[in-house]
């Protein structure tokens, strides 16, 4: 099985300062990190790989060369490969355009059975990449807000919490 995990780099909120004189955000000294929800998706994929060493986990990100740091982190955590999609056009893509670009890259990898994303990007508050990717990849099934992910053969199920109850999806 081949799993692609989409990861994004953001400014660490703990290192961003507010300039009172400029009345603006001062991010000059801010560190860049992998957005935590994407890190959780990566951890879930690596747990699947731990249970079945034949699983290949590929980290994929979009951005400039500065994003290489989180891709190296993904490799250090246990990913088999890391891919950076980068050029002037790609780096400016948002929402639907970004999903089209990432889906095209995933199709070129061939034999990808599972794509994982975090539930939202902390810098934009958006949680649309997963559903948009599912559409772009040909109406793949989508599991969202999953607390526990299980893989049995080629079937993925998840435990979701809604309305004060857990549901198996």
């Amino acid at each position: 099985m081949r799993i692609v995990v989409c990861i994004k780099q953001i400014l660490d909120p703990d290192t961003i300062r507010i300039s009172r004189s400029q009345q603006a955000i001062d991010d000059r000294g801010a560190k860049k990190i992998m957005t935590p929800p994407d890190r959780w998706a990566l951890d879930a994929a690596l747990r699947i790989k731990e249970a079945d060493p034949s699983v290949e986990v590929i980290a994929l990100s979009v951005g400039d060369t500065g994003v290489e740091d989180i891709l190296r982190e993904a490799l250090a955590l246990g990913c088999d490969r890391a891919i950076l999609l980068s050029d002037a056009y790609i780096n400016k893509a948002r929402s639907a355009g970004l999903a089209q670009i990432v889906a095209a890259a995933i199709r070129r990898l061939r034999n990808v059975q599972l794509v994982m994303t975090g539930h939202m990007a902390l810098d934009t508050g958006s949680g649309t990449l997963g559903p948009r990717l599912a559409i772009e990849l040909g109406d793949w099934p989508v599991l969202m807000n999953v607390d526990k992910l299980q893989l049995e053969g080629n079937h993925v199920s998840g435990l979701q919490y809604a309305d004060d109850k857990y549901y198996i999806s």
Side-chain angles (χ1 to χ4, degrees):
M1 169 177 267
R2 183 176 277 174
I3 301 172
V4 171
V5 183
C6 299
I7 59 176
K8 182 177 185 180
Q9 185 180 59
I10 63 167
L11 295 174
D12 183 349
D14 291 336
T15 63
I16 296 173
R17 304 282 179 239
I18 305 295
S19 170
R20 292 183 184 183
S21 62
Q22 301 273 329
Q23 293 187 345
I25 293 174
D26 181 4
D27 62 3
R28 289 176 293 178
K31 290 193 263 179
K32 294 183 178 180
I33 61 169
M34 184 185 315
T35 188
D38 292 348
R39 173 65 187 265
W40 302 331
L42 181 63
D43 288 343
L46 291 171
R47 281 194 300 276
I48 292 170
K49 177 182 173 63
E50 193 175 284
D52 180 358
S54 70
V55 171
E56 180 183 16
V57 177
I58 301 168
L60 186 144
S61 193
V62 175
D64 60 25
T65 55
V67 177
E68 291 175 359
D69 291 341
I70 64 164
L71 291 171
R72 283 189 185 94
E73 179 183 350
L75 289 169
L77 290 169
C79 282
D80 299 289
R81 293 169 51 193
I83 297 171
L84 173 61
L85 303 176
S86 180
D87 78 12
Y89 174 76
I90 291 173
N91 294 347
K92 292 180 183 176
R94 298 290 177 259
S95 298
L98 182 63
Q100 290 173 344
I101 291 163
V102 172
I106 290 169
R107 281 192 295 275
R108 289 199 61 183
L109 288 171
R110 294 191 169 80
N111 300 320
V112 174
Q113 288 86 19
L114 180 61
V115 177
M116 300 175 75
T117 67
H119 69 283
M120 68 181 256
L122 292 186
D123 58 347
T124 64
S126 174
T128 63
L129 181 61
R132 287 179 188 270
L133 269 177
I135 292 167
E136 292 297 329
L137 290 169
D139 291 327
W140 280 27
V142 177
L143 287 175
M144 296 181 67
N145 301 323
V146 174
D147 288 335
K148 184 176 180 183
L149 192 67
Q150 291 182 309
L151 180 67
E152 296 171 18
N154 285 336
H155 180 75
V156 176
S157 63
L159 195 60
Q160 295 175 307
Y161 186 76
D163 301 324
D164 297 325
K165 297 178 186 171
Y166 280 99
Y167 298 90
I168 297 175
S169 301

